[in-house]
Amino acid sequence: MQENTQASAIERYFKIREKGTSVRTEILAGLTTFIALAYIIFVNPNILAEAGIPKEAAIASTIWIAALSTMVMGVVANYPVALAPGMGLNAFFAYYVCGTLGLHWTVALGAVFFSGVLFLILTVSHIRQAIINAVPQNLRVAIGVGIGQFIAFIGLKGTGLIIPDKATFIGLGHVTNPTTMLSLFGLVLTGALMARNIQGSILIGIVVTTLLSMVLGYSPVPHGIGDIISTSLPHMGETFGQLDIMGAWNYGIVSIIFTFTVVEILDKMGPLNGHTSKAKLVKPNGEIENLDRALTTDAVGTIFSSIFGTSTVTSYIESAAGIAAGGKTGLTAVTVSICFLIALLFAPLVGLVPGFATAPPLILVGALMMADVGKINFQDFSDGLPAFLTIIMMPLTGSIANGFAFGFVSFAFMKTAVGKYKEVSWIMWLVSIAFIINLVMRS
């Protein structure tokens, strides 16, 4: 009787019957989503470690922020959407802000904090939609494609396929290098699984590649139960509350804070719009149910990710797997959150996964993000050139911000030059001028 009462309470809270689903379906959908995105537990700590963040703390912060933000998304917004540190934003954090610019990871966390606060203000004030509408569709698509190529380029370097070359800047690495061959194996295996639509393909690829590298002696092998299951939960002691807010502010709002915020706005809205449509959360008048709650959760999650010690959290596209499995309510997200918390017990295993095993997923994510390039109107060169510059400048300059700058500025000037200046909003001009000032100051 008590179990039935509890089930009934859950059904009422998440409006499960009203949405035409069931508790069992929602839980299975949550498990499906978790399997699809669990790779982030392995990939994100390796990327953050490149920024200098202690890996154990990075593992803990990645899992904790994913679990808590996803739980809030389910309970508050009643969305079947999972949140975790975003691919692209973590690469921008580690390889550009901390790598190219040379800023300490605590300063980068300060920038993430400011971007979260700014995104929250834009959400509450409803200005975010005006910014989204101001960015032309071609540039929006190009930004996603460019970030994908930026991520893929990092993955290619991680496999050892791409190495520095004095004559040509970059060149082909040693394909016969054992770890490179293992990476290529992981790439082909995971790609084949994805082609067959196997759930959890990326996770399976990471696990198999890691096990094979252990067998061949290129990765450490667990020697006891303590290397598999943690007797004490991993802690964020080395990163929790270590963000340098003043350091980020003093460095400059345009250089990193502004870029983080713009990427977040575009990165968060795309998946949410797609997921809400698939989960039938869009009302007949086009209004999306609880959208403000979902975006507020995203913004608050970003603020707390900086406090915990990781890069920006965002809604994950892999949530579509759970939605396709029937997930329509926040119970799906709550299930994902619980799975993340259980994963804390297996944190020692994450530390055994080598970087070359997590490099193939970066390449594959880049390939997936390339899919939308066909939506860009290359027939109109005043659209095509800015989109092309956005895409190519991100990986070749190692900076998402530079791709933004060249794309926005070239769009404003190209449209003006061909007499289509009415297509350039005042927001686009304001952003372009800010990017020009930033580029000149950095020269």
Side-chain angles (χ1 to χ4, degrees):
M1 183 71 179
Q2 186 178 2
E3 290 182 4
N4 291 334
T5 303
Q6 290 175 344
S8 178
I10 291 173
E11 289 176 346
R12 287 197 302 270
Y13 184 86
F14 292 106
K15 302 179 181 179
I16 287 176
R17 290 185 180 178
E18 181 182 324
K19 299 293 183 182
T21 181
S22 67
V23 172
R24 181 178 180 275
T25 299
E26 294 295 302
I27 292 174
L28 289 174
L31 292 172
T32 302
T33 295
F34 178 75
I35 291 170
L37 63 78
Y39 69 88
I40 195 64
I41 297 174
F42 302 94
V43 176
N44 196 57
N46 275 341
I47 291 177
L48 295 181
E50 294 288 327
I53 296 179
K55 191 169 182 179
E56 182 183 345
I59 294 169
S61 60
T62 297
I63 297 176
W64 275 113
I65 195 60
L68 296 179
S69 56
T70 301
M71 178 69 74
V72 175
M73 180 65 85
V75 173
V76 176
N78 199 20
Y79 273 25
V81 176
L83 281 72
M87 296 296 294
L89 287 164
N90 54 6
F92 176 69
F93 178 101
Y95 298 104
Y96 179 68
V97 177
C98 296
T100 303
L101 297 183
L103 299 183
H104 196 267
W105 57 266
T106 56
V107 177
L109 290 176
V112 172
F113 173 83
F114 275 119
S115 69
V117 171
L118 186 54
F119 185 74
L120 180 60
I121 294 171
L122 295 174
T123 297
V124 174
S125 63
H126 299 287
I127 296 175
R128 68 171 192 279
Q129 195 61 44
I131 296 175
I132 292 170
N133 292 338
V135 180
Q137 177 65 17
N138 283 292
L139 277 186
R140 275 187 246 170
V141 174
I143 288 167
V145 174
I147 291 174
Q149 302 320 293
F150 176 67
I151 295 171
F153 190 74
I154 293 168
L156 288 167
K157 290 195 293 184
T159 62
L161 279 176
I162 290 179
I163 59 174
D165 187 284
K166 292 182 179 179
T168 59
F169 296 106
I170 58 172
L172 182 65
H174 300 289
V175 181
T176 55
N177 184 298
T179 57
T180 300
M181 292 179 70
L182 283 167
S183 279
L184 288 173
F185 166 79
L187 179 64
V188 173
L189 171 65
T190 309
L193 292 173
M194 292 172 68
R196 289 177 172 271
N197 296 315
I198 304 296
Q199 291 293 341
S201 298
I202 294 178
L203 178 62
I204 294 170
I206 292 173
V207 171
V208 173
T209 303
T210 300
L211 290 175
L212 183 59
S213 68
M214 287 179 177
V215 171
L216 296 176
Y218 295 104
S219 296
V221 178
H223 294 291
I225 193 67
D227 292 333
I228 300 174
I229 299 178
S230 178
T231 53
S232 61
L233 296 180
H235 57 85
M236 302 174 286
E238 294 178 276
T239 58
F240 188 85
Q242 296 301 309
L243 63 165
D244 185 353
I245 295 176
M246 291 310 300
W249 181 263
N250 291 334
Y251 184 81
I253 189 168
V254 174
S255 299
I256 45 178
I257 299 172
F258 177 77
T259 303
F260 266 127
T261 306
V262 174
V263 176
E264 285 164 20
I265 291 174
L266 299 176
D267 195 50
K268 293 173 189 293
M269 281 304 299
L272 277 177
N273 282 334
H275 295 330
T276 52
S277 177
K278 290 178 182 177
K280 298 181 180 180
L281 296 173
V282 181
K283 298 178 181 178
N285 62 359
E287 181 183 345
I288 300 175
E289 293 181 25
N290 297 333
L291 180 60
D292 283 344
R293 291 186 183 183
L295 288 170
T296 300
T297 299
D298 249 347
V300 174
T302 295
I303 294 171
F304 275 92
S305 65
S306 68
I307 296 172
F308 282 21
T310 184
S311 53
T312 307
V313 296
T314 190
S315 305
Y316 255 69
I317 194 69
E318 282 80 3
S319 299
I323 294 172
K328 296 179 180 179
T329 76
L331 184 56
T332 294
V334 171
T335 303
V336 176
S337 175
I338 293 171
C339 288
F340 271 118
L341 292 174
I342 294 173
L344 283 168
L345 298 174
F346 298 93
L349 279 177
V350 182
L352 297 177
V353 177
F356 59 81
T358 57
L362 302 182
I363 301 171
L364 293 164
V365 168
L368 290 172
M369 295 178 75
M370 188 73 179
D372 288 336
V373 73
K375 297 178 181 178
I376 298 173
N377 179 24
F378 283 107
Q379 299 303 313
D380 183 345
F381 209 56
S382 64
D383 284 324
L385 180 60
F388 171 75
L389 290 174
T390 300
I391 294 169
I392 199 167
M393 292 302 284
M394 287 188 189
L396 293 188
T397 64
S399 166
I400 293 174
N402 287 341
F404 268 49
F406 279 89
F408 278 58
V409 173
S410 62
F411 178 86
F413 282 98
M414 281 288 291
K415 288 296 183 181
T416 302
V418 299
K420 298 181 179 180
Y421 56 88
K422 290 184 179 180
E423 295 184 26
V424 187
S425 66
W426 67 269
I427 294 178
M428 282 293 292
W429 273 116
L430 185 64
V431 172
S432 297
I433 292 170
F435 275 129
I436 291 172
I437 293 172
N438 183 48
L439 288 171
V440 170
M441 290 176 64
R442 284 165 48 196
S443 298

